[in-house]
Amino acid sequence: MACEQPVEFDSGGLRLHGVLYAPAQGRGELCVICDPFAEEKKCAQRVLTEMARALAERGIAALRFDYRGTGDSEGSFVDFGPEEWLTDVLTACSFAREQLAAGGIGLLGLRVGATLAARAAESRLPDDTPAAWLVMWEPIINGKRYVAHNLQRSQIRAMLTEGGEFDAQRVAEEYQQEVVDFDGYRLSKRTQEQLGAIDMLAQPVAFEGPTLVLNIGPREQPGPLYVQLAQRYAQGRVLGVRQEPFWNKIGLVDPGPAVATTCRWLAEVRQTMGGDEQ
Amino acid sequence: MSPDEIKRQIKRMLVERLFLDVAPEEVADDADLMATYGVDSVQLFEIVVGLEDDMGISLEEDDFDLQTFSTVEGIAGLVTRKKGNGV
Protein backbone atom coordinates (compact mmCIF):
# COMPACT_ATOMS: atom_id res chain seq x y z
CA MET A 1 0.00 0.00 0.00
CA ALA A 2 1.26 3.49 -0.83
CA CYS A 3 2.40 5.66 2.06
CA GLU A 4 1.82 9.39 2.49
CA GLN A 5 4.17 11.22 4.75
CA PRO A 6 4.46 14.92 5.67
CA VAL A 7 8.00 16.17 5.15
CA GLU A 8 10.04 19.32 5.72
CA PHE A 9 13.17 20.53 4.00
CA ASP A 10 15.19 23.73 3.82
CA SER A 11 15.39 25.98 0.80
CA GLY A 12 17.11 29.35 0.94
CA GLY A 13 17.22 29.12 4.73
CA LEU A 14 13.47 28.61 5.03
CA ARG A 15 11.60 25.49 6.06
CA LEU A 16 9.34 24.18 3.32
CA HIS A 17 6.46 21.83 3.96
CA GLY A 18 5.51 18.97 1.68
CA VAL A 19 3.90 15.58 1.41
CA LEU A 20 5.74 12.60 0.02
CA TYR A 21 3.64 9.93 -1.69
CA ALA A 22 5.70 6.76 -1.71
CA PRO A 23 4.49 3.75 -3.72
CA ALA A 24 4.25 0.30 -2.20
CA GLN A 25 6.38 -0.97 -5.06
CA GLY A 26 8.33 0.89 -7.65
CA ARG A 27 11.57 1.14 -9.51
CA GLY A 28 12.87 4.38 -8.11
CA GLU A 29 10.92 6.80 -10.25
CA LEU A 30 9.91 10.10 -8.76
CA CYS A 31 7.75 13.05 -9.74
CA VAL A 32 8.03 16.50 -8.22
CA ILE A 33 4.71 18.30 -8.54
CA CYS A 34 4.84 22.06 -8.97
CA ASP A 35 1.72 23.81 -7.72
CA PRO A 36 0.35 27.07 -9.04
CA PHE A 37 0.21 29.87 -6.49
CA ALA A 38 -2.29 32.11 -4.70
CA GLU A 39 -5.95 31.27 -5.21
CA GLU A 40 -5.21 28.82 -8.02
CA LYS A 41 -3.17 26.72 -5.60
CA LYS A 42 -6.06 26.51 -3.15
CA CYS A 43 -8.55 25.54 -5.85
CA ALA A 44 -6.20 22.93 -7.35
CA GLN A 45 -5.35 21.27 -4.04
CA ARG A 46 -7.59 18.24 -4.44
CA VAL A 47 -6.81 17.53 -8.10
CA LEU A 48 -3.06 17.69 -7.50
CA THR A 49 -3.43 15.39 -4.50
CA GLU A 50 -5.36 12.94 -6.69
CA MET A 51 -2.59 13.20 -9.29
CA ALA A 52 0.07 12.41 -6.68
CA ARG A 53 -1.92 9.42 -5.47
CA ALA A 54 -2.46 8.18 -9.02
CA LEU A 55 1.31 8.33 -9.59
CA ALA A 56 2.01 6.40 -6.37
CA GLU A 57 -0.53 3.75 -7.37
CA ARG A 58 1.47 3.32 -10.58
CA GLY A 59 4.78 2.91 -8.76
CA ILE A 60 6.00 6.50 -9.11
CA ALA A 61 6.78 8.39 -5.92
CA ALA A 62 5.51 11.95 -5.83
CA LEU A 63 6.42 15.01 -3.83
CA ARG A 64 4.07 17.93 -3.39
CA PHE A 65 5.30 20.93 -1.46
CA ASP A 66 4.53 24.55 -0.67
CA TYR A 67 6.85 27.18 -2.14
CA ARG A 68 8.40 29.58 0.35
CA GLY A 69 5.81 32.08 1.53
CA THR A 70 2.90 29.81 0.56
CA GLY A 71 0.84 27.13 2.29
CA ASP A 72 2.52 25.74 5.40
CA SER A 73 6.02 26.80 4.38
CA GLU A 74 7.96 29.55 6.07
CA GLY A 75 8.27 33.04 4.70
CA SER A 76 5.98 35.87 3.76
CA PHE A 77 4.19 35.62 0.41
CA VAL A 78 4.92 39.19 -0.61
CA ASP A 79 8.70 38.66 -0.35
CA PHE A 80 8.99 35.93 -2.96
CA GLY A 81 8.18 35.11 -6.55
CA PRO A 82 8.98 32.79 -9.45
CA GLU A 83 12.76 33.10 -9.16
CA GLU A 84 12.78 31.86 -5.56
CA TRP A 85 10.12 29.26 -6.29
CA LEU A 86 12.27 27.83 -9.09
CA THR A 87 15.06 27.38 -6.53
CA ASP A 88 12.50 25.62 -4.31
CA VAL A 89 11.58 23.22 -7.14
CA LEU A 90 15.22 22.27 -7.67
CA THR A 91 15.75 21.91 -3.92
CA ALA A 92 12.65 19.71 -3.73
CA CYS A 93 14.14 17.47 -6.44
CA SER A 94 17.36 17.07 -4.41
CA PHE A 95 15.46 16.41 -1.21
CA ALA A 96 13.17 13.83 -2.77
CA ARG A 97 16.03 12.03 -4.42
CA GLU A 98 17.89 11.81 -1.10
CA GLN A 99 14.80 10.52 0.66
CA LEU A 100 13.92 7.90 -1.90
CA ALA A 101 17.24 7.17 -3.54
CA ALA A 102 15.22 7.77 -6.67
CA GLY A 103 16.43 7.35 -10.21
CA GLY A 104 14.65 9.39 -12.86
CA ILE A 105 12.85 12.53 -11.76
CA GLY A 106 9.83 13.70 -13.70
CA LEU A 107 8.31 17.15 -13.30
CA LEU A 108 4.61 17.95 -13.40
CA GLY A 109 3.18 21.41 -12.91
CA LEU A 110 -0.02 23.39 -13.20
CA ARG A 111 -0.26 27.01 -14.45
CA VAL A 112 2.71 28.96 -13.01
CA GLY A 113 3.86 25.62 -11.59
CA ALA A 114 3.98 24.22 -15.13
CA THR A 115 6.09 27.14 -16.26
CA LEU A 116 8.42 26.60 -13.30
CA ALA A 117 8.58 22.86 -14.06
CA ALA A 118 9.60 23.69 -17.64
CA ARG A 119 12.34 26.00 -16.37
CA ALA A 120 13.52 23.37 -13.89
CA ALA A 121 13.67 20.85 -16.74
CA GLU A 122 16.05 23.23 -18.52
CA SER A 123 18.37 23.00 -15.51
CA ARG A 124 20.44 20.03 -14.48
CA LEU A 125 18.69 18.22 -11.66
CA PRO A 126 20.52 16.59 -8.71
CA ASP A 127 23.51 14.45 -9.67
CA ASP A 128 23.71 16.50 -12.85
CA THR A 129 20.98 14.48 -14.54
CA PRO A 130 18.28 15.84 -16.82
CA ALA A 131 14.61 15.47 -15.93
CA ALA A 132 13.13 12.15 -17.06
CA TRP A 133 9.96 13.75 -18.37
CA LEU A 134 7.92 16.92 -18.17
CA VAL A 135 4.17 17.43 -17.89
CA MET A 136 2.72 20.92 -18.19
CA TRP A 137 -0.92 21.42 -17.31
CA GLU A 138 -2.18 24.74 -18.65
CA PRO A 139 1.22 26.45 -18.47
CA ILE A 140 1.42 30.24 -18.38
CA ILE A 141 2.74 30.70 -21.90
CA ASN A 142 2.54 34.48 -22.04
CA GLY A 143 3.15 36.30 -18.78
CA LYS A 144 1.88 39.67 -20.02
CA ARG A 145 -1.45 38.11 -20.85
CA TYR A 146 -1.52 36.34 -17.49
CA VAL A 147 -0.96 39.60 -15.61
CA ALA A 148 -3.57 41.36 -17.79
CA HIS A 149 -6.05 38.57 -17.06
CA ASN A 150 -5.52 38.96 -13.36
CA LEU A 151 -6.30 42.65 -13.63
CA GLN A 152 -9.48 41.76 -15.52
CA ARG A 153 -10.44 39.32 -12.77
CA SER A 154 -10.02 42.07 -10.21
CA GLN A 155 -12.18 44.35 -12.32
CA ILE A 156 -14.88 41.72 -12.62
CA ARG A 157 -14.90 41.09 -8.88
CA ALA A 158 -15.09 44.81 -8.19
CA MET A 159 -17.85 45.18 -10.78
CA LEU A 160 -19.91 42.52 -8.99
CA THR A 161 -19.31 43.72 -5.45
CA GLU A 162 -19.13 47.51 -5.67
CA GLY A 163 -22.30 48.16 -7.65
CA GLY A 164 -22.66 51.84 -8.50
CA GLU A 165 -19.32 52.64 -6.86
CA PHE A 166 -17.43 50.49 -9.38
CA ASP A 167 -14.72 52.36 -11.23
CA ALA A 168 -12.66 50.19 -13.59
CA GLN A 169 -10.05 52.91 -14.02
CA ARG A 170 -9.45 53.02 -10.25
CA VAL A 171 -8.94 49.23 -10.16
CA ALA A 172 -6.42 49.54 -13.01
CA GLU A 173 -4.58 52.32 -11.17
CA GLU A 174 -4.42 50.24 -7.99
CA TYR A 175 -2.71 47.59 -10.06
CA GLN A 176 0.19 49.97 -10.69
CA GLN A 177 1.12 50.19 -7.00
CA GLU A 178 4.24 48.65 -5.49
CA VAL A 179 2.21 45.91 -3.84
CA VAL A 180 -1.08 44.86 -5.41
CA ASP A 181 -3.99 42.82 -4.16
CA PHE A 182 -3.91 39.62 -6.19
CA ASP A 183 -7.01 37.67 -5.24
CA GLY A 184 -6.38 38.68 -1.65
CA TYR A 185 -2.65 37.91 -1.84
CA ARG A 186 -0.10 40.73 -1.62
CA LEU A 187 1.96 40.62 -4.78
CA SER A 188 5.11 42.72 -5.13
CA LYS A 189 5.99 44.72 -8.22
CA ARG A 190 9.05 42.50 -8.63
CA THR A 191 6.92 39.35 -8.74
CA GLN A 192 4.53 40.99 -11.18
CA GLU A 193 7.49 41.86 -13.40
CA GLN A 194 8.85 38.31 -13.20
CA LEU A 195 5.45 36.93 -14.12
CA GLY A 196 5.07 39.46 -16.93
CA ALA A 197 8.44 38.46 -18.38
CA ILE A 198 7.34 34.89 -19.03
CA ASP A 199 7.29 34.14 -22.74
CA MET A 200 7.51 30.40 -23.30
CA LEU A 201 7.32 30.74 -27.07
CA ALA A 202 10.41 32.95 -27.13
CA GLN A 203 12.63 31.32 -24.54
CA PRO A 204 15.03 28.66 -25.85
CA VAL A 205 14.16 25.03 -25.16
CA ALA A 206 16.98 22.60 -24.43
CA PHE A 207 15.01 19.85 -22.69
CA GLU A 208 14.86 16.81 -24.96
CA GLY A 209 12.91 14.33 -22.86
CA PRO A 210 9.27 13.30 -23.29
CA THR A 211 7.03 16.31 -22.78
CA LEU A 212 3.28 16.62 -22.45
CA VAL A 213 1.44 19.92 -22.82
CA LEU A 214 -2.11 19.47 -21.54
CA ASN A 215 -4.72 22.04 -22.45
CA ILE A 216 -7.58 21.78 -19.96
CA GLY A 217 -10.73 23.61 -20.93
CA PRO A 218 -13.99 23.54 -22.81
CA ARG A 219 -12.59 21.79 -25.88
CA GLU A 220 -10.78 18.52 -26.47
CA GLN A 221 -8.97 20.16 -29.37
CA PRO A 222 -5.90 21.89 -27.90
CA GLY A 223 -5.55 25.60 -28.58
CA PRO A 224 -2.96 26.96 -31.03
CA LEU A 225 -0.59 28.34 -28.39
CA TYR A 226 -0.39 24.96 -26.68
CA VAL A 227 0.27 23.30 -30.03
CA GLN A 228 3.06 25.80 -30.72
CA LEU A 229 4.56 25.23 -27.30
CA ALA A 230 4.61 21.44 -27.69
CA GLN A 231 6.23 21.78 -31.11
CA ARG A 232 9.20 23.51 -29.50
CA TYR A 233 10.07 20.35 -27.57
CA ALA A 234 11.99 17.51 -29.22
CA GLN A 235 9.55 14.95 -27.84
CA GLY A 236 6.64 17.29 -27.26
CA ARG A 237 3.06 16.14 -27.42
CA VAL A 238 -0.04 18.25 -26.94
CA LEU A 239 -3.37 16.91 -25.75
CA GLY A 240 -6.63 18.56 -24.78
CA VAL A 241 -9.15 17.48 -22.18
CA ARG A 242 -12.64 18.83 -21.74
CA GLN A 243 -12.67 19.76 -18.08
CA GLU A 244 -13.67 22.81 -16.12
CA PRO A 245 -10.72 25.05 -15.14
CA PHE A 246 -10.55 23.58 -11.64
CA TRP A 247 -7.79 25.98 -10.58
CA ASN A 248 -10.42 28.74 -10.73
CA LYS A 249 -13.34 26.80 -9.38
CA ILE A 250 -14.73 26.93 -5.90
CA GLY A 251 -16.35 23.69 -4.82
CA LEU A 252 -16.08 20.04 -5.70
CA VAL A 253 -14.27 19.22 -8.92
CA ASP A 254 -13.80 16.03 -10.87
CA PRO A 255 -10.07 15.40 -11.19
CA GLY A 256 -10.73 12.63 -13.68
CA PRO A 257 -9.91 13.83 -17.19
CA ALA A 258 -6.56 15.55 -16.56
CA VAL A 259 -5.32 12.84 -14.21
CA ALA A 260 -6.45 9.98 -16.46
CA THR A 261 -5.00 11.53 -19.62
CA THR A 262 -1.68 12.21 -17.91
CA CYS A 263 -1.50 8.64 -16.57
CA ARG A 264 -2.17 7.26 -20.04
CA TRP A 265 0.57 9.41 -21.53
CA LEU A 266 2.99 8.40 -18.77
CA ALA A 267 2.23 4.72 -19.34
CA GLU A 268 3.22 5.15 -22.99
CA VAL A 269 6.38 7.02 -22.03
CA ARG A 270 7.40 4.39 -19.50
CA GLN A 271 6.84 1.62 -22.01
CA THR A 272 8.97 3.45 -24.54
CA MET A 273 11.66 3.88 -21.89
CA GLY A 274 11.65 0.13 -21.46
CA GLY A 275 9.99 0.01 -18.08
CA ASP A 276 7.44 -2.40 -16.74
CA GLU A 277 4.40 -0.17 -16.62
CA GLN A 278 2.27 -1.27 -13.70
CA MET B 1 -21.81 39.32 -39.12
CA SER B 2 -25.49 39.99 -38.41
CA PRO B 3 -26.70 40.78 -34.86
CA ASP B 4 -28.50 37.43 -34.73
CA GLU B 5 -25.36 35.57 -35.74
CA ILE B 6 -23.37 37.43 -33.05
CA LYS B 7 -25.94 36.37 -30.45
CA ARG B 8 -25.83 32.77 -31.66
CA GLN B 9 -22.06 32.75 -31.43
CA ILE B 10 -22.15 34.22 -27.93
CA LYS B 11 -24.67 31.60 -26.79
CA ARG B 12 -22.52 28.80 -28.17
CA MET B 13 -19.51 30.26 -26.41
CA LEU B 14 -21.38 30.61 -23.09
CA VAL B 15 -22.69 27.04 -23.12
CA GLU B 16 -19.31 25.64 -24.05
CA ARG B 17 -17.08 27.69 -21.76
CA LEU B 18 -19.38 27.71 -18.76
CA PHE B 19 -20.21 24.00 -19.14
CA LEU B 20 -23.92 24.89 -19.04
CA ASP B 21 -26.32 22.00 -19.26
CA VAL B 22 -28.59 23.66 -21.83
CA ALA B 23 -28.68 23.97 -25.60
CA PRO B 24 -27.36 27.32 -26.88
CA GLU B 25 -30.72 28.13 -28.49
CA GLU B 26 -32.41 27.75 -25.10
CA VAL B 27 -30.51 30.72 -23.70
CA ALA B 28 -32.82 33.72 -24.02
CA ASP B 29 -31.36 36.97 -25.33
CA ASP B 30 -32.53 38.86 -22.25
CA ALA B 31 -32.07 36.15 -19.59
CA ASP B 32 -30.14 37.44 -16.59
CA LEU B 33 -27.04 35.24 -16.71
CA MET B 34 -26.36 35.52 -12.99
CA ALA B 35 -29.91 34.88 -11.85
CA THR B 36 -30.71 32.20 -14.45
CA TYR B 37 -27.44 30.29 -14.72
CA GLY B 38 -25.69 31.27 -11.50
CA VAL B 39 -22.87 32.94 -13.39
CA ASP B 40 -20.26 34.16 -10.89
CA SER B 41 -17.06 36.18 -11.12
CA VAL B 42 -15.02 33.16 -12.24
CA GLN B 43 -17.45 32.44 -15.06
CA LEU B 44 -17.64 36.10 -16.05
CA PHE B 45 -13.89 35.93 -16.45
CA GLU B 46 -14.30 32.86 -18.69
CA ILE B 47 -16.70 34.93 -20.81
CA VAL B 48 -14.09 37.68 -21.10
CA VAL B 49 -11.46 35.12 -22.19
CA GLY B 50 -13.98 33.65 -24.64
CA LEU B 51 -14.63 37.07 -26.16
CA GLU B 52 -10.88 37.49 -26.63
CA ASP B 53 -10.10 34.01 -27.91
CA ASP B 54 -13.22 33.13 -29.87
CA MET B 55 -14.39 36.51 -31.10
CA GLY B 56 -11.17 38.52 -31.28
CA ILE B 57 -12.40 41.22 -28.90
CA SER B 58 -9.95 43.10 -26.68
CA LEU B 59 -11.57 44.60 -23.61
CA GLU B 60 -10.56 47.87 -22.01
CA GLU B 61 -11.41 49.36 -18.62
CA ASP B 62 -14.49 51.16 -19.92
CA ASP B 63 -15.98 47.89 -21.17
CA PHE B 64 -16.43 46.42 -17.69
CA ASP B 65 -20.02 47.18 -16.86
CA LEU B 66 -22.39 44.89 -15.00
CA GLN B 67 -25.32 45.73 -17.27
CA THR B 68 -23.31 44.71 -20.31
CA PHE B 69 -22.33 41.33 -18.92
CA SER B 70 -25.75 40.47 -17.47
CA THR B 71 -27.37 39.26 -20.69
CA VAL B 72 -26.55 37.89 -24.12
CA GLU B 73 -28.09 41.05 -25.53
CA GLY B 74 -25.68 43.20 -23.52
CA ILE B 75 -22.65 41.17 -24.54
CA ALA B 76 -23.79 41.23 -28.18
CA GLY B 77 -24.02 45.02 -27.97
CA LEU B 78 -20.45 45.14 -26.69
CA VAL B 79 -19.22 42.85 -29.48
CA THR B 80 -21.03 44.90 -32.12
CA ARG B 81 -19.57 48.11 -30.73
CA LYS B 82 -16.04 46.71 -30.57
CA LYS B 83 -16.25 45.14 -34.02
CA GLY B 84 -17.65 48.39 -35.36
CA ASN B 85 -14.65 50.17 -33.87
CA GLY B 86 -12.40 47.66 -35.57
CA VAL B 87 -11.14 46.34 -32.20
Side-chain angles (χ1 to χ4, degrees):
Chain A
M1 189 174 168
C3 169
E4 297 179 14
Q5 180 191 354
V7 293
E8 290 182 348
F9 56 96
D10 281 353
S11 182
L14 294 167
R15 180 182 49 79
L16 305 191
H17 172 82
V19 177
L20 199 54
Y21 301 77
Q25 289 184 318
R27 54 172 199 249
E29 293 167 284
L30 165 71
C31 173
V32 171
I33 295 179
C34 306
D35 282 27
F37 77 110
E39 203 65 12
E40 292 186 347
K41 176 178 171 68
K42 280 170 61 184
C43 295
Q45 166 71 19
R46 185 67 192 182
V47 175
L48 292 175
T49 297
E50 294 290 346
M51 186 68 237
R53 289 176 177 162
L55 289 167
E57 282 168 15
R58 287 159 178 78
I60 302 172
L63 173 64
R64 284 195 63 208
F65 70 99
D66 299 327
Y67 307 116
R68 62 185 84 177
T70 75
D72 289 321
S73 292
E74 284 186 340
S76 176
F77 182 82
V78 73
D79 293 336
F80 306 114
E83 292 302 325
E84 290 83 12
W85 298 336
L86 176 61
T87 301
D88 293 345
V89 172
L90 295 171
T91 306
C93 291
S94 298
F95 168 78
R97 175 164 282 169
E98 284 166 17
Q99 292 292 304
L100 298 166
I105 298 181
L107 291 157
L108 182 152
L110 169 66
R111 306 286 288 152
V112 163
T115 308
L116 291 174
R119 286 189 59 191
E122 296 297 319
S123 311
R124 302 297 287 186
L125 297 182
D127 302 334
D128 202 31
T129 54
W133 43 263
L134 169 66
V135 174
M136 292 179 272
W137 284 2
E138 285 284 313
I140 304 302
I141 296 176
N142 184 300
K144 280 193 177 66
R145 189 166 191 243
Y146 178 66
V147 171
H149 275 170
N150 280 302
L151 168 60
Q152 289 177 333
R153 286 158 66 126
S154 294
Q155 285 172 323
I156 289 167
R157 267 196 309 280
M159 182 175 82
L160 289 177
T161 56
E162 294 177 4
E165 302 294 311
F166 170 61
D167 178 354
Q169 191 62 42
R170 176 186 51 77
V171 178
E173 283 167 8
E174 285 173 0
Y175 236 71
Q176 302 304 314
Q177 296 173 358
E178 276 305 306
V179 176
V180 301
D181 183 326
F182 183 89
D183 275 348
Y185 296 78
R186 297 177 71 231
L187 200 67
S188 69
K189 194 85 177 165
R190 175 175 166 269
T191 295
Q192 280 196 80
E193 285 167 1
Q194 286 180 13
L195 291 169
I198 294 169
D199 185 352
M200 294 189 77
L201 296 180
Q203 287 150 358
V205 171
F207 179 64
E208 294 181 345
T211 302
L212 172 64
V213 179
L214 192 65
N215 184 191
I216 304 166
R219 295 172 190 153
E220 288 183 354
Q221 184 73 26
L225 287 181
Y226 299 94
V227 173
Q228 279 183 56
L229 179 63
Q231 285 171 343
R232 294 172 58 81
Y233 286 84
Q235 294 188 63
R237 185 166 174 203
V238 60
L239 294 170
V241 290
R242 181 171 156 73
Q243 181 171 0
E244 285 189 81
F246 55 84
W247 54 91
N248 282 336
K249 195 168 170 355
I250 297 163
L252 190 65
V253 295
D254 171 19
V259 171
T261 302
T262 302
C263 287
R264 276 197 300 275
W265 176 82
L266 261 179
E268 289 171 21
V269 167
R270 294 170 87 201
Q271 274 187 337
T272 307
M273 288 173 150
D276 51 342
E277 166 60 15
Q278 297 173 17
Chain B
M1 197 184 295
S2 73
D4 282 346
E5 181 50 36
I6 289 174
K7 286 179 195 166
R8 273 196 293 274
Q9 201 173 333
I10 290 167
K11 289 176 186 179
R12 280 197 299 271
M13 185 263 283
L14 290 177
V15 168
E16 184 181 51
R17 285 190 173 264
L18 306 189
F19 292 77
L20 298 180
D21 198 16
V22 293
E25 55 274 17
E26 288 176 39
V27 180
D29 292 358
D30 59 353
D32 186 312
L33 297 174
M34 287 137 217
T36 312
Y37 301 109
V39 169
D40 58 16
S41 65
V42 169
Q43 290 175 312
L44 276 179
F45 174 68
E46 285 300 317
I47 294 172
V48 168
V49 175
L51 290 173
E52 283 183 4
D53 288 355
D54 300 350
M55 306 187 80
I57 301 291
S58 271
L59 296 183
E60 292 154 58
E61 273 89 50
D62 293 348
D63 298 320
F64 287 90
D65 172 73
L66 191 52
Q67 197 75 20
T68 300
F69 284 93
S70 294
T71 62
V72 168
E73 239 162 20
I75 299 170
L78 172 68
V79 171
T80 303
R81 198 167 69 245
K82 301 293 277 187
K83 292 271 190 195
N85 290 342
V87 181

